[in-house]
Amino acid sequence: MKSGLYITIGLLISIFSFAQKGGKYKLWYDKPAKQWVEALPVGNGNMAAMVYGDPYQEKLQLNEGTFWSGGPSRNDNPDAPKVLDSIRYYLFHGNYKRAQILADKGLTAKTVHGSAFQNIGDFTLDLNNLKEIRNYYRELDIEKAIATTTFTSGGIYFKREVFASIPDHVIVIKLSSDHKNALNFTAKFNSELKKNVKAIDANTLQMDGISSTLDGIPGQVKFNALAKFITKGGKTQTSEEGISVSNAHEVMILISIATNFTDYKNLNTDEVAKARKYIEAAANKSFKTLVQNHLNAYQNYFKRVDLNLGTSEAAKNPTDVRIKNFATGYDPELISLYYQFGRYLLISSSQPGGQPANLQGIWNNSNKPAWDSKYTININTEMNYWPAEKTNLSEMHEPLIQMIKDLSETGKETAKTMYNSRGWVAHHNTDIWRITGVVDFANAGMWPMGGAWLSQHLWEKYLYSGDEHYLRTIYPVLKSAAQFYEDFLIEEPAHHWLVASPSMSPENIPQGHQGSALAAGNTMDNQLMFDLFTKTKKAAQILNTDSDKIQVWNTIISKLPPMKIGSYGQLQEWMEDLDDPKDNHRHVSHLYGLFPSNQISPFTTPELLDASRTVLIHRGDVSTGWSMGWKVNLWAKLLDGNHANKLIKDQLTLVEKDGWGSKGGTYPNLFDAHPPFQIDGNFGCTSGITEMLLQTQNGFIDILPTLPDEWKSGSISGLKAYGGFEVSVSWENNQAKEMTIKSGLGGNCRIRLPNEMKLSGNTKLKNAEGKNPNPFFEIPETPKPLISDKARLNPVEIKTDLIYDFPTEAGKLYTLKWSDKSSERQSETKSTYNKN
Ligand code: FUC
């Protein structure tokens, strides 16, 4: 980038034109990207690019979702049976350090700690003969999923458009200008890995290469990348360097990348044939057709949800400036942009048939990315999928469901080899080869609950769709996950509770634990066990199968440790009261029971809710990106929308520089900063904003449960709730005005309203009484918590007088409107809602 050529007069002209640019769902900038976290992401779930928008040297940094280091591999430690009993003994007798040392020897993987998601390389266009640049502008329109760069040079207007097409399997670049013969450039491929680049015909450039060796496993993933040039006017010329285009009027470049990856066991796909097939099919289509196909596919997902929180003058600024000013100014539209950007990222990184979004989704410019850009399943991978169902992107959940199915195969061997258990187990990490052993070191890796947490997604998906055929396909995976713990859980000596051991409360080390994170019977583990066994049981009952298992599962559920409230009034993180009120660790694992689970709720467990609030106050707000994203959800579940809104502000704090750092926030391109970039924070916050507007887990659909004072007026449409309901609602002056509920499956619709509303038509709202007859809203009752004598609690009473029922028919739309309480109240009596 020759920045010196951007002369002041150009900037003045451009400021004038910027004012008309931008828009509700656009990220836009007045400068090209200098660093990766300023470049703009596009992706189709298989291929992805980061677009820099530099006039002189355009760069697309490329990824392909299956391009990982190594090859099919496992990492079970065969010494596990020799050390397991001793580790358990040490943990029950207070020798945590020895347990950890022994776990590092006998449980942690010997050499294989997981592969790395790798970077294909760069595709660049050198345009060295451009003159000074004026009127520079670049944007990512997330309503269209198209990145556009425009500028003038020497009086000529230039435009570049880039998108990644889901249906046509190619990245499309179009270069155009308003003068004939104005396009001159040389295109190149480059990669830091071993590669070959050559022109395979007059219009096609090819790069092929192979992934890296890691942990002693030779790189075996081969890629083939093609760029095909379709020009109007001018000519192309091949050279050692690449392909040069001269004097063209318009150029369309198609990029196709394929690998030899078939599935986690097989690398037998012909990557050359695959890459060619897609590029040749796309080359027969016009740009117009490719754009139309792309928009049809993308917008079918994106347009299902729309969020309006109002706008302000601040929206006229470039996106990086808006992030910088966010905490001090009023810019509600940045929240709706950030919200939808999360949905954009999920559509672009997670498509049926592809890999699930990893720590960086599908965007990574390094061959040794942070944490290998793998799947960390003690929070991060699950968080990626929190928005999937509720923001009406159910199809995007599919790659995760497939990964869980794969893990249920690989994890069986780990369960048997390491723990002599049936069923399947996964620890805190996995990769494209679906490893299920213990990685890194015991203090992070020795967490055998990955299968239990991931399995919640299998069940959750069913609650939204009610699809019994789907339930039948995932039931064996659920049952096998439960089976592992039937064998793995052991009785602890003090109370004879059944506990997971060894385990930990992810990745936190309690005081008095001799620097060892290893512990038994941790709160999160118990909550996960409760969920896994109650949901597996429910699934068996729905499918009318395994009736002989019900008693076994009921017995396990009855022997799980209850949640405990410790001496500070906090929800205890561990079995003993070891919490430190000054601990601000990023993980808040014991609050899993509040969110994403529903074992703690304002309506059924007010003491536990209060104890959860105390935990969040102790932990503080500012933390890594994903931790703040989680806390938006948690404060929403505590029904404190103002605090959730404060967390959104913390998360939308500008982090200007790429790389490692201590404070989480948001990069100029709206990527979440752990730091470094980690995509879970984006997804977590999108989920959290949804939870502020609609909750579905407390036995009813909670409409606008906790609007922050600042969000005075607005609307959200197309959110999904359990039981196949689809909800849209608008509000004014913090009062719900109008709402539509589409019933997907029929059945009772139970809603909690923020203010009185009236149902249009003949059906009347009835005060809700007793248990919700709609089975998708059932909440299993958790055991009574144990409360320390020293704990002081201040449970807050929550309004339950506006909870109503009305019957619905599948496919019908129901409209509710604000009603004046005095004249239109449906019933004189107060609702007597209780969950039973
Ligand atoms: C877990 C977290 C870290 C990071 C890593 C990828 O280990 O504790 O903060 O997100 O995953």
Side-chain angles (χ1 to χ4, degrees), residues 541-582:
Q541 285 164 337
I542 295 165
L543 299 173
N544 208 0
T545 182
D546 286 330
S547 52
D548 54 322
K549 297 286 304 183
I550 304 291
Q551 193 46 44
V552 178
W553 294 332
N554 277 341
T555 307
I556 294 175
I557 294 167
S558 71
K559 290 179 145 191
L560 294 173
M563 284 183 260
K564 297 171 219 70
I565 298 176
S567 49
Y568 299 103
Q570 88 286 9
L571 179 71
Q572 276 181 213
E573 183 160 0
W574 294 277
M575 201 155 60
E576 288 87 33
D577 192 352
L578 304 175
D579 302 87
D580 175 358
K582 295 205 181 72

Side-chain angles (χ1 to χ4, degrees), residues 723-735:
F725 293 107
E726 190 174 308
V727 183
S728 304
V729 58
S730 63
W731 66 95
E732 261 173 56
N733 296 321
N734 295 84
Q735 295 257 321

Side-chain angles (χ1 to χ4, degrees), residues 475-488:
Y475 175 71
V477 182
L478 262 186
K479 182 181 162 186
S480 172
Q483 203 170 36
F484 170 73
Y485 299 101
E486 285 172 34
D487 294 351
F488 180 77

Side-chain angles (χ1 to χ4, degrees), residues 134 163 207 284 314 326 485 665 709 733 802 835:
R134 299 183 181 199
F163 62 90
M207 174 166 72
N284 285 327
F326 187 65
Y485 299 101
D709 299 339
N733 296 321
L802 297 178
K835 81 184 173 80

Side-chain angles (χ1 to χ4, degrees), residues 107 114 145 172 177 200 282 489 705:
L107 299 180
V172 182
S177 75
I200 53 170
L489 297 183

Side-chain angles (χ1 to χ4, degrees), residues 238-287:
T238 63
S239 70
E240 285 277 289
E241 283 207 282
I243 288 189
S244 301
V245 173
S246 45
N247 302 327
H249 176 51
E250 190 182 294
V251 183
M252 179 165 80
I253 308 170
L254 303 173
I255 294 182
S256 168
I257 312 169
T259 75
N260 59 340
F261 179 90
T262 308
D263 56 38
Y264 72 89
K265 291 179 275 205
N266 298 299
L267 291 168
N268 53 10
T269 296
D270 181 344
E271 73 281 3
V272 178
K274 191 173 171 188
R276 278 187 195 181
K277 185 178 98 189
Y278 291 143
I279 214 160
E280 274 157 24
N284 285 327
K285 299 176 188 174
S286 66
F287 179 73

Side-chain angles (χ1 to χ4, degrees), residues 359 371 376 378 380 428 507 586-587 624 626 674 678 680:
L359 284 173
W371 292 285
T376 307
N378 66 9
N380 318 84
H428 100 302
E507 303 170 23
R586 60 199 178 282
H587 286 262
T624 60
W626 64 259
H674 177 290
Q678 213 172 276
D680 40 20

Side-chain angles (χ1 to χ4, degrees), residues 55 58 123 125 127 149 151 157-162 172-177 183-185 229-232 245 248-253 287:
E58 181 58 279
F123 177 70
L125 304 176
L127 301 98
T149 307
F151 54 89
Y157 172 82
F158 290 92
K159 183 175 185 183
R160 294 176 199 159
E161 293 148 279
V162 183
V172 182
I173 308 167
K174 183 180 157 195
L175 295 100
S176 52
S177 75
L183 292 168
N184 293 284
F185 60 85
F229 298 77
I230 298 161
T231 53
K232 280 193 189 154
V245 173
H249 176 51
E250 190 182 294
V251 183
M252 179 165 80
I253 308 170
F287 179 73

